Amino acid sequence: MMSRRKKTSRRGFLTGVAVSAATVTTAELLKKQEADAAEENHNSAVNLQPTEFDFTQKSAAFQPDKIVDSACQFCNSLCGLKVHVKDGHIINVLGEPDDPVQAGGLCVKGPMMTQLVYNRFRLTHPMKRVAGEKGSPDSQFEPISWEEALETIAAKFLALRDAGDARAIANKTSGRLPRGTGSLVGRYFTLLGSPNDTDVGPVCNDAGGNALAWTFGLGNFTNGYGIDGATGKEDLGSAKFFLFLGTNQAETHPVTFAYLLRSRATTKAKLVVIDPRLTPTGAQADEWIAPKPHTDLALVLAMLHHIVTNNLYDAAFVQKWVLGFDELKKHLVSNGYTPEWAAAITDIPATKIKSLAKAYATTKPAAIFCNAGISHQLGAFDTYRTLAFLAAITGNIGINGGGCNFMHNTWPGGLNLPSIKGKTPKKDVALPVGPDYFAESILTGKPYQLKAIVTQGNPLLASSQTGKVQEAYRKLDFYVYTGLFMEESAYYADIILPVTSGFEMETVYMRRDDRAIRWQKQVVPPVGESKPDWHIWIDLAHATAKLDKRNRPQYWTENFPLAWKDYGNLWATFVANTPGMGGMTTERMSKRSEPLRWPCPSVDHPGVSTLYLDHASWYSAAQALNPQNKGKRFLTPSGKVEIYTPEMQKQLASAGHAALPIFYTHPEVTGRHPTIEYTEQLVKNPVNPQAFTHKVKLGKVSSGEVHRQYPLMGMTGRSSVVHFHSVTHWTYTGKQMNGVRLVQIHPKVAQAAGINNADEIIVESPRGSIRGTALIWEGIREDTIFVPNWFGQEQKMAQELRTPYYEAANQLIDNQYYDNLSGQQAFKCFACRVKKA
């Protein structure tokens, strides 16, 4: 392993403030930080301020031939990009000045889009395996034509189908895909007869959308950034209270977070950040609260208890719009979910829980924001449900500036294509939606065995318990990898397909969390023989048509017209067939400087900013989604917020859960707590009814035995603002600025282990070990460490910049622990220990 070890200045680190009381104001910490910085030699600091003069003005070399409107694909801020092109080459990337939310801004990642285009490590042509063991860096591949590649895939799929084993074929999508590609994948799998066309949700943020759908009727981020076109009022910018749980938006959504901070400067809204470590987001907060990892469910249950027992709820809203409030109150009281009870679990003082509950309940409008810190828990669906209850009983749903803004919810629920022509095979029940059940199926054959897989992501970094996934993919009969680079997973592939980056296609790619989308135009031609993902699936359908002996060619070709390869035509098809999209035409989208929010049922509709708003624009949009919604405010069966109904209870009980969640947590949380047991019984998943899931038993108290050898709790997550999953590790800027895995450790833990700042260390869990560099950081709980993920052993840019190659962080995480309803993997708690390398 190559390694570069450089002592890091402690300037900017927090010193002298112990983080053991689990709650402290950021003002106290940052005041100490500033004092420490002032004592240091400021001559060592690098001045990054530009000169006040712009010396590129009127420079002939920098005058673009054209400026192309595109969009950044590195996070869900969905920044508009003004891409400057000269002589067919990209020379500059600027932000969209006419978008009031973006305000012309970009984070460091926007210009890095260019580094995906001009990158010597890009895959440029299809390849097939010719030698070497699967997974070995010595694997050998040779270039082949697209025709040979697609016909090889089609032949393998048809052979399995004709053998009565269509369910043995699976696909897993990725967040990098242009919008609508998943619809084409689903169409192909329907024609083939396999149920296993799965998405990226279980490693992203499905649980929040699932919980919102069950409680309010739609599984989407409830409010919008900027002006609500229907009311002319600020939406999220008008919030008076921001409650952030497990979301580090300063690094994950920096531009939309900057909009919230600009608004807060005017409204004086309070910002409370709940996270086991102090992040750049927490540094902006009025208060940072540090609970024990994986105990957010206890905190929210206690907040609900304090609100309902002290009459802090919105009685008028509850009476008119909420079902199940009385059952909720009885549930909270009978189980003793008091702030005092939660204090012993979360390590947050009861007085702090009470004051937080009161501040949220009595400051309206109040907006909740959550992200992977909640999603990546094994109780994610239940935790998100309780957060939805919190907004509902305080009347903070269906109002500008409020809501449950759970990041990365799918937009919209699906992009629809016309009905399939012809009779399709009957599908079996799909595999469990998590925790990336592919490996379990391959290795055990339970409930049946997968034999052929296509992926648009990098499962060797994304999936828990990496060693198990490696073993499975070595044994997999046939694997197709699609991507930009020879990532870790590519070395297990039989066929490799190169795809285009964002600047090489006209499409709608990422969407903003608030259901807003932005059209992006093609900037430069595709690199080499790479193709956009939707082209690949259309071409695969036509290759399948040539080889299918069971169906006439039209079975495939008529359901995948070549006209759809023009994204404008494909988008127009989606608009014509997807409820609530009538106003999102190709012409309208391509002319806008601002993104447009769904639902948007007509070309004169502004798009919905606040879901469930008691306003005519919402009621018309709701009816466009489904005629049965006429007159409904909430799109549940009752038309009200549904906290508890007998039918909901029956459905969730079938998988071992309840409409009113009880507290449980990960068995590797320190101490002894109610936890989860997975039975062997496979049942129909009530949240994802197309799939099986394991029925669970909740409430058995954990033994705490694992902490005899592994006394710490580890979390994984985004390493810094410069990175977005693994793709940015293939850019010069990404590896230059953050190519070393910096593991955050509290000073007391480091001292006990004999670890100094910038030492190379080893993190061990019961599953395995990984290496990193110690970053001694007082802004983290003493019992917790933070391990950045998305580093991998095949990221060749590391050699370019002399940074280390790293094992996948997910080697540390047990893949048996997951949310059996949403499929979310539990990345936010694993028992571990650290030692000096």
Side-chain angles (χ1 to χ4, degrees), residues 650-665:
K650 181 180 178 181
Q651 289 177 291
L652 292 173
S654 69
H657 291 263
L660 300 172
I662 64 169
F663 174 70
Y664 60 100
T665 189

Side-chain angles (χ1 to χ4, degrees), residues 215-261:
T215 311
F216 304 129
L218 285 178
N220 303 92
F221 195 100
T222 60
N223 289 67
Y225 297 104
I227 299 292
D228 180 347
T231 64
K233 299 177 180 178
E234 278 282 345
D235 192 350
L236 285 170
S238 67
K240 299 295 179 61
F241 191 101
F242 292 107
L243 179 61
F244 280 32
L245 298 96
T247 177
N248 177 18
Q249 290 186 44
E251 295 190 307
T252 62
H253 298 72
V255 175
T256 47
F257 183 52
Y259 155 76
L260 296 180
L261 295 180

Side-chain angles (χ1 to χ4, degrees), residues 142 157 278 365 397 456 691 829:
E142 68 178 19
F157 288 177
L278 179 62
I397 191 71
Q456 289 78 45
C829 188

Side-chain angles (χ1 to χ4, degrees), residues 301-533:
L301 287 168
M303 290 178 67
L304 286 166
H305 185 284
H306 187 71
I307 290 168
V308 301
T309 57
N310 288 275
N311 296 320
L312 298 174
Y313 58 91
D314 186 330
F317 185 87
V318 167
Q319 183 177 12
K320 186 174 182 179
W321 293 112
V322 177
L323 285 184
F325 176 80
D326 291 340
E327 289 86 349
L328 173 64
K329 183 175 182 178
K330 181 179 179 181
H331 173 73
L332 295 167
V333 172
S334 63
N335 281 286
Y337 290 146
T338 64
E340 289 74 17
W341 161 82
I345 295 169
T346 63
D347 198 25
I348 300 172
T351 53
K352 176 57 58 182
I353 297 173
K354 293 175 182 179
S355 66
L356 176 62
K358 181 178 180 180
Y360 172 80
T362 58
T363 310
K364 190 181 287 188
I368 300 173
F369 284 82
C370 303
N371 202 349
I374 302 298
S375 298
H376 294 169
Q377 298 189 25
L378 60 78
F381 176 83
D382 286 332
T383 303
Y384 275 124
R385 280 269 291 157
T386 59
L387 286 162
F389 300 167
L390 196 61
I393 67 170
T394 57
N396 276 303
I397 191 71
I399 60 172
N400 292 154
C404 295
N405 303 291
F406 302 160
M407 322 294 278
H408 291 184
N409 299 158
T410 302
W411 178 94
L415 291 170
N416 296 346
L417 293 166
S419 298
I420 287 177
K421 300 175 182 178
K423 185 178 180 180
T424 58
K426 183 180 179 181
K427 291 184 182 181
D428 206 332
V429 180
L431 294 173
V433 291
D436 191 359
Y437 211 82
F438 287 6
E440 189 74 16
S441 170
I442 295 165
L443 294 174
T444 69
K446 296 179 181 178
Y448 51 81
Q449 191 169 55
L450 288 182
K451 299 176 182 177
I453 294 175
V454 186
T455 67
Q456 289 78 45
N458 188 2
L460 269 297
L461 291 189
S463 305
S464 297
Q465 206 161 337
T466 310
K468 182 177 180 179
V469 180
Q470 290 171 328
E471 180 187 0
Y473 276 72
R474 274 193 292 269
K475 294 181 178 180
L476 180 64
D477 184 34
F478 185 73
Y479 173 44
V480 180
Y481 167 85
T482 73
L484 291 165
F485 304 103
M486 281 293 293
E487 296 180 295
E488 290 72 17
S489 300
Y491 290 90
Y492 293 80
D494 297 282
I495 299 290
I496 294 172
L497 303 179
V499 301
T500 51
S501 72
F503 283 166
E504 300 158 49
M505 54 186 168
E506 180 171 45
T507 184
V508 169
Y509 189 82
M510 281 288 189
R511 77 285 184 208
R512 203 164 67 191
D513 291 295
D514 63 347
R515 297 164 275 109
I517 59 169
R518 189 189 296 275
W519 196 267
Q520 64 177 80
K521 297 176 182 177
Q522 184 173 348
V523 180
V524 291
V527 170
E529 299 176 26
S530 62
K531 291 189 177 189
D533 288 272

Side-chain angles (χ1 to χ4, degrees), residues 44-102:
S44 65
V46 178
N47 182 7
L48 298 179
Q49 293 298 317
T51 176
E52 66 270 30
F53 303 104
D54 180 0
F55 295 126
T56 67
Q57 287 186 2
K58 302 303 181 182
S59 168
F62 295 126
Q63 299 306 305
D65 299 330
K66 61 178 179 179
I67 299 175
V68 182
D69 292 325
S70 188
C72 184
Q73 299 175 356
F74 286 136
C75 87
N76 287 51
S77 289
L78 189 63
C79 292
L81 303 181
K82 294 289 189 181
V83 186
H84 291 221
V85 179
K86 192 173 188 67
D87 193 27
H89 291 81
I90 301 166
I91 62 170
N92 202 3
V93 176
L94 302 178
E96 173 56 72
D98 294 329
D99 179 348
V101 173
Q102 184 181 350

Side-chain angles (χ1 to χ4, degrees), residues 101-314:
V101 173
Q102 184 181 350
L106 287 178
C107 80
V108 64
K109 292 189 289 294
M112 290 164 60
M113 289 281 295
T114 306
Q115 297 178 34
L116 300 182
V117 179
Y118 305 123
N119 192 307
R120 74 182 187 90
F121 296 114
R122 276 285 297 272
L123 290 169
T124 59
H125 42 253
M127 294 189 291
K128 69 177 180 181
R129 173 178 294 279
V130 293
E133 180 186 3
K134 286 192 172 187
S136 169
D138 298 326
S139 296
Q140 296 178 31
F141 301 89
E142 68 178 19
I144 57 175
S145 68
W146 271 102
E147 181 181 25
E148 181 181 352
L150 295 175
E151 289 189 2
T152 300
I153 298 167
K156 181 64 178 180
F157 288 177
L158 289 171
L160 286 168
R161 183 204 65 181
D162 293 345
D165 211 6
R167 66 183 185 177
I169 307 165
N171 181 83
K172 186 168 186 177
T173 61
S174 163
R176 71 163 175 79
L177 292 178
R179 294 301 99 189
T181 304
S183 301
L184 293 169
V185 176
R187 194 174 186 86
Y188 183 92
F189 270 66
T190 296
L191 293 172
L192 196 63
S194 171
N196 289 308
D197 56 312
T198 66
D199 66 22
V200 70
V203 294
C204 193
N205 289 275
D206 264 7
N210 296 152
L212 291 172
W214 277 63
T215 311
F216 304 129
L218 285 178
N220 303 92
F221 195 100
T222 60
N223 289 67
Y225 297 104
I227 299 292
D228 180 347
T231 64
K233 299 177 180 178
E234 278 282 345
D235 192 350
L236 285 170
S238 67
K240 299 295 179 61
F241 191 101
F242 292 107
L243 179 61
F244 280 32
L245 298 96
T247 177
N248 177 18
Q249 290 186 44
E251 295 190 307
T252 62
H253 298 72
V255 175
T256 47
F257 183 52
Y259 155 76
L260 296 180
L261 295 180
R262 291 196 303 273
S263 302
R264 175 173 166 244
T266 300
T267 63
K268 309 304 179 186
K270 185 172 184 178
L271 171 60
V272 176
V273 172
I274 298 173
D275 198 306
R277 65 189 182 102
L278 179 62
T279 64
T281 304
Q284 297 291 336
D286 297 289
E287 191 166 22
W288 164 52
I289 299 174
K292 185 179 285 191
H294 240 87
T295 63
D296 301 86
L297 179 55
L299 170 62
V300 182
L301 287 168
M303 290 178 67
L304 286 166
H305 185 284
H306 187 71
I307 290 168
V308 301
T309 57
N310 288 275
N311 296 320
L312 298 174
Y313 58 91
D314 186 330

